[in-house]
C-alpha cells in the first residue's frame, strides 16, 4: 500500500468470511468519500439521523435497480474520531459469503478502492493514531495462538514497548545533545564528564541487550514451538500426545501434517503454543528402516525446534533408540523421555544406559511425570519463564535493537580511545536512528510497505 492519496477511499471486508459461518460480517470504508458512498447505498427508514458513532438501521440497496441487497446496520465514524482518523463507515451485514461480497462490490462500484493488506492500520499510523510498535501489535493480536501471546500483543497495543524504546532513545538524544553542544561551544559551557556519558551509553546498551534476549521468549509465544516426538514403535508416542493434549483440553486440530505420515497437533502448554509432530502409524515390518520409521522421523526432525525422544523403560535403552537419536540434528534441544514408569516393578532398574543429557521418566498411561516433562521441555527451549514477560520485540524490532546495541558498543570503544567528542557522536547517531525505526519515528517508505503488507486485508 502507498500513502493515502487525497480523495482516495479504501474498502474491505473487515471480518473473517466463510460460507455459512459467522452471523455478522463488516464492510469497512475509510477516506473522504466514505460517508457519501454510505448514503448512496444505504436506505435508513424513518427519521434516523446520520450522526457520528450512532448506528443506523436499514437496507443496502443497489442504486442501479433499487434492489435490496441485505438488511444491515450502518455505523458512521467521522474524522478524526476513528481508527484511521479519516471518515470511516462500517456496514454490518449478514454473515456468510454472498451478501457481504455483494455489498463490497457495490461499495467499490460507488468509487472506493479495495484496500491492500494492513492499509487501514497503515493509515492509522500515517495519521498519527498509532506508532509502529502498536500497529505491529495489531497484527500480532490477530495471529495470537495462546492467551499469553494475546496478552503480550495487548501490552504492545497499550504502548508498553513504544514507551520503553522511546525512553531509551530520549536518553541517547540527551547525551547526543551534550556532546554536540561541546563540539560547537566547548568554551562557553561547563566541562563535560566523559565518564558520565559513557556510563549512560552503557546503561542503555545493557537495557537493549536485555530486550533482545527476552525477545526470544516473545517469539516463542507468538510463533509457537514445533516439537517432534520420535521413538520406536509402541514406546508410547501417541499415548504421550494424548496425555499432553487431554490434560490441557486445548487440542485444536488433529490435522494430517504436511506429509501424510506426520500427525500435527496444536496445543498450549504453560502458555506456550506448541505444534507436536508425531510419526504416527509406524508399524512393525521386516524392513528395519521402515520399522523404525527412519524417513518419517527425519521429516519430523527437519522442521523441529525441539525433540522428545521416547524410549521404553521396560526395554531399556536399545541400539534402535540410539539409532534414532543419531538422526537428531546437532544443536536442536533434545529431551530423552523414559516411558512406562508405571510398569517398571518398584526398585527395578532399567537396562541399558541412555546417554548423558536431559532425561525425564514418565508414564503416559497414568500421567506421572507429565509436569516434569513440560517444565523440562520448555526450559530446554528457553521458554521457561514466559509468564514474567512484559513486552517483547518482534523479529524486525529485535534486529534494530541489536544493531543499536552494537552501535553503542562502537561508540564506547571510540570513547575509550579518548577521541574528541564529535567522534563519539557518529555511532551514537546510528543507535538513535535504529531506535527511531522501531517506533516509526525514523522509518523509510519501503520498510513501511513491508510491515503493513504482512497484515490481513481489512485491518
Ligand atoms: P506409539 O507406537 O509409540 O505411538 O505407542 P502407543 O502410544 O500407541 O502405545 C503403544 C502401547 O503401549 C499401547 O498399548 C499403550 O497402551 C502402551 N503404553 C503407552 N504408554 C504407556 C505407559 O506409560 N505405561 C504402560 N504400562 N503402557 C503404555
Ligand atoms: Zn503412535
Amino acid at each position: 500500500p502507498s500513502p493515502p492519496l487525497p480523495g482516495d477511499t479504501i474498502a474491505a471486508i473487515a471480518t473473517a468470511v466463510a460460507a455459512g459461518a459467522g452471523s455478522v460480517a463488516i464492510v469497512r470504508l475509510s477516506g473522504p468519500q466514505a460517508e457519501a458512498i454510505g448514503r448512496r447505498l444505504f436506505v435508513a427508514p424513518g427519521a434516523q439521523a446520520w450522526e457520528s458513532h450512532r448506528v443506523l438501521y436499514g437496507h443496502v440497496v443497489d442504486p442501479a435497480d433499487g434492489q435490496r441487497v441485505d438488511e444491515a446496520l450502518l455505523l458512521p465514524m467521522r474524522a478524526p474520531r476513528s481508527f484511521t482518523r479519516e471518515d470511516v463507515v462500517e456496514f454490518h451485514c449478514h454473515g456468510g459469503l454472498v451478501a457481504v461480497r455483494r455489498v463490497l462490490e457495490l461499495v467499490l462500484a460507488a468509487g472506493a478502492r479495495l484496500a491492500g493488506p494492513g492499509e487501514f492500520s497503515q493509515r492509522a499510523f500515517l495519521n498519527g493514531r498509532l506508532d509502529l510498535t502498536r500497529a505491529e501489535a495489531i497484527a500480532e493480536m490477530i495471529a495470537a495462538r495462546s492467551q499469553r501471546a494475546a496478552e503480550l500483543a495487548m501490552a504492545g497495543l497499550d504502548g508498553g514497548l513504544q514507551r520503553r524504546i522511546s525512553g531509551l532513545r530520549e536518553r541517547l538524544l540527551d547525551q547526543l545533545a551534550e556532546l554536540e553542544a561541546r563540539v560547537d561551544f566547548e568554551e562557553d559551557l561547563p566541562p563535560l564528564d566523559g565518564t558520565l556519558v559513557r556510563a549512560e551509553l552503557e546503561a542503555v546498551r545493557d537495557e537493549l541487550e536485555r530486550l533482545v534476549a527476552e525477545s526470544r521468549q516473545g517469539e516463542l509465544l507468538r510463533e509457537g514451538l514445533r516439537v517432534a516426538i520420535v521413538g520406536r514403535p509402541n514406546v508410547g508416542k501417541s499415548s504421550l500426545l494424548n496425555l499432553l493434549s487431554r490434560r490441557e483440553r486445548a487440542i485444536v486440530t488433529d490435522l494430517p501434517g504436511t506429509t501424510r505420515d506426520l500427525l500435527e497437533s496444536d496445543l498450549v502448554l504453560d502458555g506456550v503454543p506448541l505444534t507436536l509432530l508425531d510419526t504416527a502409524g509406524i508399524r512393525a515390518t521386516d524392513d528395519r528402516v521402515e520399522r523404525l520409521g527412519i524417513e518419517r522421523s527425519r521429516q519430523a526432525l527437519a522442521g523441529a525446534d525441539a525433540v522428545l525422544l521416547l524410549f521404553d523403560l521396560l526395554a531399556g535403552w536399545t541400539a534402535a533408540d540410539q539409532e534414532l537419536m543419531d538422526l537428531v540434528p546437532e544443536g536442536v534441544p533434545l529431551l530423552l523421555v523414559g516411558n512406562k514408569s508405571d510398569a517398571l516393578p518398584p526398585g527395578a532398574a532399567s537396562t541399558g544406559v541412555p546417554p548423558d543429557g536431559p532425561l525425564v521418566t514418565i508414564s503416559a498411561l497414568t500421567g506421572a511425570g507429565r509436569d516434569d516433562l513440560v517444565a523440562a521441555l520448555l526450559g530446554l527451549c528457553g521458554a521457561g519463564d514466559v509468564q514474567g514477560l512484559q513486552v517483547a520485540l518482534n523479529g524486525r524490532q529485535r534486529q534494530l535493537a541489536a544493531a543499536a546495541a552494537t552501535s553503542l558498543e562502537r561508540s564506547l570503544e571510540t570513547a575509550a580511545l579518548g577521541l574528541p567528542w564529535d567522534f563519539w557522536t557518529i555511532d551514537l547517531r546510528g543507535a538513535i536512528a535504529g531506535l527511531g525505526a522501531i517506533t516509526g519515528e525514523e522509518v523509510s517508505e519501503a520498510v513501511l510497505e513491508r510491515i503493513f503488507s504482512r497484515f490481513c486485508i481489512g485491518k
Side-chain angles (χ1 to χ4, degrees):
S2 326
L5 306 166
D8 191 17
T9 296
I10 54 173
I13 299 171
T15 41
V17 186
S23 58
V24 177
I26 296 176
V27 175
R28 178 192 267 170
L29 284 91
S30 179
Q33 296 302 309
E35 188 165 329
I37 293 172
R39 285 177 184 267
R40 262 187 77 190
L41 302 181
F42 194 77
V43 177
Q48 302 179 64
W50 284 71
E51 286 172 23
S52 186
H53 294 79
R54 179 147 173 185
V55 174
L56 296 158
Y57 162 79
H59 289 89
V60 182
V61 171
D62 186 343
D65 54 15
Q67 238 187 16
R68 286 178 173 188
V69 173
D70 195 9
E71 182 188 35
L73 298 176
L74 186 129
L75 177 58
M77 289 172 276
R78 290 191 187 127
R81 286 181 52 214
S82 74
F83 176 62
T84 56
R85 288 202 170 156
E86 301 177 327
D87 283 347
V88 167
V89 164
E90 289 180 357
F91 292 86
H92 294 228
C93 313
H94 283 106
L97 286 176
V98 182
V100 71
R101 286 220 178 125
R102 185 85 189 98
V103 171
L104 180 62
E105 277 169 21
L106 290 177
V107 161
L108 297 179
R113 172 174 66 73
L114 188 63
E119 202 168 356
F120 290 94
S121 300
Q122 186 181 26
R123 287 187 176 198
F125 167 74
L126 292 170
N127 292 326
R129 167 79 164 60
L130 298 169
D131 82 293
L132 208 47
T133 64
R134 286 181 181 82
E136 287 177 294
I138 291 173
E140 281 152 22
M141 182 70 90
I142 295 168
R145 279 173 58 194
S146 74
Q147 180 69 25
R148 267 306 277 145
E151 282 167 16
L152 210 54
M154 193 61 222
L157 211 50
D158 280 345
L161 186 56
Q162 186 261 330
R163 280 190 296 276
R164 286 276 283 278
I165 297 292
S166 290
L168 295 175
R169 185 165 174 270
E170 291 291 321
R171 286 167 68 179
L172 296 183
L173 281 167
D174 286 345
Q175 298 309 312
L176 181 64
E178 291 287 340
L179 291 166
E180 300 251 290
R182 295 316 184 289
V183 172
D184 295 331
F185 313 105
E186 179 97 67
E187 55 281 1
D188 308 326
L189 290 167
L192 183 60
D193 185 347
T195 54
L196 290 181
V197 177
R198 283 161 65 177
E200 184 70 351
L201 299 191
E202 278 169 13
V204 172
R205 178 205 57 195
D206 291 348
E207 178 82 1
L208 286 172
E209 285 175 350
R210 199 160 31 244
L211 280 170
V212 168
E214 284 175 2
S215 70
R216 169 78 187 131
Q217 297 183 334
E219 192 173 274
L220 290 179
L221 282 177
R222 263 194 292 271
E223 288 162 21
L225 278 172
R226 291 175 73 80
V227 178
I229 303 182
V230 295
R232 294 186 296 114
N234 290 319
V235 293
K237 297 183 293 299
S238 301
S239 305
L240 174 61
L241 196 77
N242 287 338
L243 173 72
L244 291 176
S245 41
R246 190 171 56 237
R247 276 280 288 273
E248 284 288 328
R249 295 211 194 102
I251 190 150
V252 186
T253 45
D254 231 2
L255 299 171
T258 40
T259 77
R260 266 191 295 137
D261 299 334
L262 289 183
L263 191 75
E264 292 195 12
S265 312
D266 289 330
L267 57 140
V268 178
L269 294 179
D270 284 1
V272 180
L274 298 188
T275 300
L276 293 181
L277 310 168
D278 177 22
T279 48
I282 296 174
R283 273 182 289 276
T285 68
D286 289 338
D287 180 341
R288 180 171 178 75
V289 170
E290 169 66 14
R291 177 155 53 87
L292 284 176
I294 298 272
E295 267 322 299
R296 275 175 253 188
S297 298
R298 266 193 224 285
Q299 287 168 11
L301 292 169
D305 301 309
V307 177
L308 296 176
L309 198 161
L310 245 67
F311 67 98
D312 186 333
L313 288 169
L314 290 177
W317 184 257
T318 67
D321 296 319
Q322 185 63 49
E323 208 172 315
L324 282 173
M325 184 173 155
D326 293 339
L327 295 176
V328 178
E330 192 125 355
V332 178
L334 167 67
L335 182 61
L336 298 181
V337 182
N339 187 32
K340 310 193 186 183
S341 62
D342 61 284
L344 208 60
S350 185
T351 57
V353 183
D356 284 342
L359 181 149
V360 292
T361 59
I362 64 159
S363 165
L365 202 64
T366 67
R370 184 247 185 217
D371 292 347
D372 292 343
L373 183 150
V374 171
L377 173 65
L378 296 183
L380 213 56
C381 301
D385 191 26
V386 294
Q387 309 303 333
L389 212 55
Q390 298 297 310
V391 295
L393 310 172
N394 63 27
R396 180 190 78 90
Q397 296 161 347
R398 177 173 55 239
Q399 269 184 11
L400 289 164
T406 307
S407 294
L408 288 180
E409 191 56 48
R410 274 203 300 270
S411 191
L412 284 162
E413 281 163 17
T414 307
L417 292 175
L419 293 172
W421 301 130
D422 49 346
F423 285 85
W424 297 32
T425 65
I426 300 167
D427 289 305
L428 182 53
R429 283 172 198 283
I432 290 169
L435 297 186
I438 293 178
T439 56
E441 283 157 289
E442 304 180 36
V443 69
S444 76
E445 196 73 27
V447 170
L448 281 184
E449 294 221 353
R450 280 187 38 202
I451 290 169
F452 286 103
S453 65
R454 298 202 329 251
F455 282 55
C456 52
I457 294 187
K459 258 296 167 187

